[in-house]
Amino acid sequence: MRRPIIAGNWKMNNTKAQTYALLNDLVPLVADAEAEVVICVPYTSIWAAGEAIKGTNIHLGAENVHWAEKGAFTGEISADMLLEQGVEYVIIGHSERRQYFGETDETVNKRVLTALAKGLKPIICVGETLEEREGGKVEEVLVRQTTEALKGVDKDQLDKIVIAYEPVWAIGTGKTATAQDANDTIAIIRNTIAKLYCPKCAEEKVRIQYGGSMNPKNAKELMAMPQIDGGLIGGASLKAVDFSQVVKYNG
Ligand code: PGA
């Protein structure tokens, strides 16, 4: 059984004070959640978030990690720095990183390998743009992104990995993939993992989330689909009540 995992992606939102306020509200609202709950927060909020969720069922995540141990990489952050703050999960290859900050399949792979080697659990984002979708390239793009991201990853590391399928056209736009469409596209990703490793590994070890305008209204329907193991939630993770309703998607 793949345990559902709902992760918030705060992006570049929330100061330290706002972090405490939001988590103060969120902690009791999700205390009895069945799904695994993760919040991925900006670097400057990691310490505060860690304090606010100490002893709760909420897991701490960051939004990126560099592949090098340390050194001259201005503006980047290392795995050791994150681990020292109690970080467990890390988003890698978000489409905003790919689109605005030059992330490629290759840099995504390097970050994934370092994260795993250090003991961080990567949430690897894949997804097609509108242009790629309209050009009939969904399968090609997802097979490539998945295969490249997982290069060099061992079979026994697969249960540390979460994949987030986020169609770029659905992020922050209010447009969601239909549940059926998200399910079928996630099946392509799972099938790719089955071919790269083994069918059982893909079926039992890897959790695949949907992301893109997931909210309290559509979460239940999306989560009812057999291939969808969770969600990566942007906008709706910034409000405690909304996020808690996604986390407890069955009401
Ligand atoms: P959204 O963002 O929920 O605001 O669409 C999701 C994401 O980018 O991870």
Side-chain angles (χ1 to χ4, degrees):
M1 268 298 278
R2 305 186 302 261
R3 185 176 177 209
I5 175 167
I6 307 286
N9 172 14
W10 286 9
K11 310 193 179 186
M12 196 174 72
N13 293 292
N14 290 329
T15 61
K16 191 169 112 184
Q18 290 164 337
T19 297
Y20 280 121
L22 172 52
L23 292 177
N24 210 19
D25 292 342
L26 183 68
V27 164
L29 292 175
V30 299
D32 58 348
E34 277 170 33
E36 186 173 351
V37 188
V38 182
I39 47 161
C40 298
V41 307
Y43 303 131
T44 48
S45 285
I46 289 176
W47 179 251
E51 275 195 309
I53 63 176
K54 199 173 280 169
T56 74
N57 59 331
I58 304 178
H59 299 254
L60 189 57
E63 299 178 16
N64 205 355
V65 62
H66 197 263
W67 57 84
E69 180 80 27
K70 62 178 182 175
F73 300 101
T74 303
E76 290 282 337
I77 198 140
S78 78
D80 286 339
M81 294 168 183
L82 297 177
L83 287 162
E84 191 184 37
Q85 308 286 320
V87 169
E88 182 183 344
Y89 283 93
V90 63
I91 296 173
I92 295 178
H94 190 279
S95 66
E96 286 149 19
R97 301 293 319 168
R98 294 180 191 254
Q99 201 177 339
Y100 308 130
F101 302 100
E103 289 279 350
T104 62
D105 289 337
E106 195 192 344
T107 58
V108 167
N109 178 242
K110 288 164 97 169
R111 293 178 201 271
V112 167
L113 293 178
T114 294
L116 286 170
K118 288 286 184 177
L120 288 165
K121 298 175 187 161
I123 299 176
I124 305 169
C125 301
V126 297
E128 81 287 355
T129 62
L130 187 57
E131 203 185 347
E132 288 162 342
R133 169 158 285 251
E134 287 173 347
K137 296 212 165 97
V138 175
E139 179 158 2
E140 180 189 323
V141 168
L142 292 176
V143 169
R144 191 200 74 228
Q145 288 181 340
T146 306
T147 305
E148 295 297 315
L150 296 178
K151 252 189 194 154
V153 173
D154 287 342
K155 200 194 222 176
D156 61 10
Q157 294 174 307
L158 286 179
D159 56 359
K160 304 283 184 305
I161 284 181
V162 176
I163 294 187
Y165 165 59
E166 300 205 304
V168 178
W169 48 270
I171 295 178
T173 57
K175 286 186 203 148
T176 334
T178 64
Q180 189 62 52
D181 200 29
N183 184 74
D184 296 350
T185 314
I186 287 176
I188 296 174
I189 299 170
R190 204 177 298 283
N191 196 31
T192 304
I193 297 167
K195 283 189 188 141
L196 289 171
Y197 296 91
C198 68
K200 200 165 175 242
C201 315
E203 195 53 43
E204 291 178 2
K205 292 194 168 190
V206 184
R207 291 182 290 178
I208 308 182
Q209 300 171 316
Y210 168 78
S213 299
M214 194 160 159
N215 59 43
K217 290 205 180 76
N218 57 29
K220 185 173 181 181
E221 193 193 354
L222 286 160
M223 290 302 294
M225 302 307 291
Q227 290 290 341
I228 303 180
D229 303 324
L232 185 57
I233 321 298
S237 74
L238 299 175
K239 290 194 185 126
V241 171
D242 287 4
F243 187 58
S244 73
Q245 286 173 352
V246 178
V247 165
K248 299 203 272 186
Y249 48 87
N250 276 330

